[in-house]
Amino acid sequence: VKDPSDPAAWRSFAEGRSTAVDLFSKIAQEGYNATMDNPMCDVYEDQLRTFPDAKVVLTLHPKGSAGWFKSFSSLLSLVRVQSAPASVTYPNFFSFIPMFQDINAVRC
């Protein structure tokens, strides 16, 4: 995360308090002129409407769909652990960090 306010901006968007264009403006102000992966892939339609002349590059996993599924499943397992609520038996310290609270709000 280049700017610590990025997760909060995504949370604002996810909760309907800002628009995709607001989000794209913030990204552009930070000097970026390209996007990839999550969470940007969730708003690709908004991106294409906002930037109709943008180039879209499709990449394929080197191990095909089975390799992608295995990789993505591993990522989701990590996300589940990282976003689990803190308890006596599982002291998830991530749940107390505001940036992670914002990231988890966007995922839900």
Side-chain angles (χ1 to χ4, degrees), residues 28-101:
Q29 288 171 355
E30 292 175 4
Y32 294 105
N33 62 6
T35 63
M36 59 178 263
D37 211 9
N38 279 329
M40 291 306 294
C41 63
D42 295 333
V43 293
Y44 76 92
E45 291 173 323
D46 295 308
Q47 282 187 288
L48 291 176
R49 271 194 297 278
T50 305
F51 307 103
D53 296 327
K55 301 220 181 323
V56 177
V57 178
L58 173 65
T59 59
L60 301 175
H61 195 282
K63 295 185 179 177
S65 59
W68 174 86
F69 182 79
K70 182 178 179 183
S71 174
F72 197 70
S73 294
S74 296
L75 173 64
L76 290 181
S77 294
L78 176 66
V79 167
R80 277 191 285 281
V81 168
Q82 180 261 307
S83 59
S87 67
V88 173
T89 58
Y90 182 70
N92 182 0
F93 297 105
F94 288 114
S95 65
F96 299 106
I97 301 171
M99 180 180 77
F100 284 99
Q101 292 169 351

